[in-house]
Amino acid sequence: MEEPTASLIRTQLRRMRSASGLTQEDFGRLVHYSASMVSAVETGTRPLDRAFLARADEVLKTGDLLTSLLRMAERESQPSWFRPWLEAERSARQLRYFNPCLIPGLLQTENYARTVLRFDTTRPHEEVERQVAARMARQEILTRDCPPLVIAVTDESSLRRRDAVMAEQLAHLVQMADLPHIQLHIIPADAGLHVGLSGPLALAHLAEGGWVGHMENQLAGSAVDDEDATSTLLARWEGVRSVALPHALSIALIKEVESRHGPQ
């Protein structure tokens, strides 16, 4: 069953298009999409598309109504256990991510994210696409006017996965590392055992000064904000960060691994 806000978007799109005196074919020409695409979006047989809705906002002169509603729909589509972390992530001044096996979600390409989300073979295609769109939407915080400082740590093994999506993903990491508010650190393969092998973690430093932590497992995840829990996660973060390479050496390693994938 579709989330209420997604249904509202489709209803508003149909209503505003009709109020403008436009058929689906007329509207399709204006937004540079086919009439069949317009029909599929309005009837719910196609997932909501950010580029389509952005163009619809322009043509219908709605400001950013439809794309704003889409952001709400994407939040609704997230599991309830993940929503508290999303709120912390959006309002944070600093974000810290560690994952020993995967590139952190905020730095994933669309193709990499899609591949990861397909690990769950019980997830329908439409759900995968909704989750990919939601993950890409989260990344908008990286390009807003006042983005948070993002410090991400991952293991060298996550770079060396032999998969078709990795060349694009590594190039994206190098590009993101050029941004002044993004720091990447790689734990080298010869680092040995360390506390991070216990599992991924994320931390958000909020504007009011407190910390929110987040941890995931195979089934779900949890956000924590009490002092004892966040202090433990901060200590484990320091343990992870202490065995990682400096930013410049990490980028050099990423580029070295990228070169082994050959031209994209």
Side-chain angles (χ1 to χ4, degrees):
M1 182 177 178
E2 191 167 63
E3 297 289 349
T5 305
S7 297
L8 175 63
I9 292 171
R10 299 185 196 280
T11 300
Q12 288 299 311
L13 179 61
R14 288 193 300 270
R15 184 187 64 78
M16 292 186 293
R17 175 185 59 75
S18 297
S20 298
L22 297 170
T23 66
Q24 290 180 340
E25 186 173 354
D26 294 334
F27 185 67
R29 282 195 294 268
L30 291 173
V31 296
H32 310 308
Y33 286 86
S34 67
S36 60
M37 167 70 168
V38 175
S39 175
V41 171
E42 289 186 354
T43 59
T45 59
R46 183 184 177 98
L48 294 169
D49 180 273
R50 182 172 300 277
F52 174 88
L53 293 178
R55 183 66 184 146
D57 274 332
E58 292 177 14
V59 169
L60 297 170
K61 297 180 173 57
T62 65
D64 63 350
L65 173 64
L66 296 174
T67 50
S68 294
L69 287 172
L70 179 60
R71 285 193 289 272
M72 293 175 59
E74 288 166 345
R75 289 197 292 272
E76 286 179 351
S77 72
Q78 296 291 343
S80 58
W81 55 262
F82 195 51
R83 293 175 193 172
W85 171 253
L86 289 178
E87 294 299 324
E89 189 177 66
R90 277 192 295 272
S91 60
R93 288 184 174 178
Q94 181 185 131
L95 292 163
R96 301 178 180 182
Y97 299 94
F98 167 68
N99 194 310
C101 303
L102 297 169
I103 306 301
L106 212 61
L107 300 175
Q108 293 177 2
T109 65
E110 183 174 331
N111 286 327
Y112 184 99
R114 182 173 291 110
T115 300
V116 170
L117 289 165
R118 283 176 177 164
F119 290 167
D120 182 356
T121 57
T122 65
R123 185 178 280 146
H125 171 75
E126 294 77 9
E127 175 63 17
V128 169
E129 292 306 310
R130 281 195 294 271
Q131 292 297 320
V132 169
R135 188 163 298 185
M136 295 302 101
R138 285 171 56 200
Q139 297 179 7
E140 292 176 359
I141 66 172
L142 301 178
T143 54
R144 68 190 185 194
D145 289 340
C146 296
L149 172 64
V150 176
I151 309 170
V153 179
T154 189
D155 194 86
E156 182 178 345
S157 62
S158 71
L159 308 178
R160 297 190 181 277
R161 305 294 181 198
R162 304 306 302 176
D163 193 284
V165 302
M166 286 308 301
E168 178 190 46
Q169 177 61 67
L170 293 171
H172 180 67
L173 286 180
V174 172
Q175 181 182 16
M176 297 304 288
D178 282 338
L179 298 175
H181 56 283
I182 295 180
Q183 299 176 15
L184 300 182
H185 300 279
I186 307 301
I187 298 176
D190 61 1
L193 298 175
H194 58 84
V195 68
L197 296 175
S198 299
L201 65 90
L203 287 154
H205 192 215
L206 306 181
E208 57 269 25
W211 288 91
V212 174
H214 188 259
M215 299 163 294
E216 290 188 32
N217 57 44
Q218 288 281 346
L219 296 178
S222 60
V224 294
D225 59 4
D226 64 278
E227 187 174 350
D228 288 344
T230 55
S231 293
T232 298
L233 290 180
L234 284 165
R236 293 186 180 180
W237 166 265
E238 293 301 327
V240 163
R241 181 66 189 84
S242 69
V243 295
L245 296 172
H247 178 75
L249 291 178
S250 296
I251 302 310
L253 177 56
I254 295 171
K255 290 179 177 179
E256 183 271 324
V257 177
E258 181 191 6
S259 70
R260 296 176 180 269
H261 284 272
Q264 296 184 52

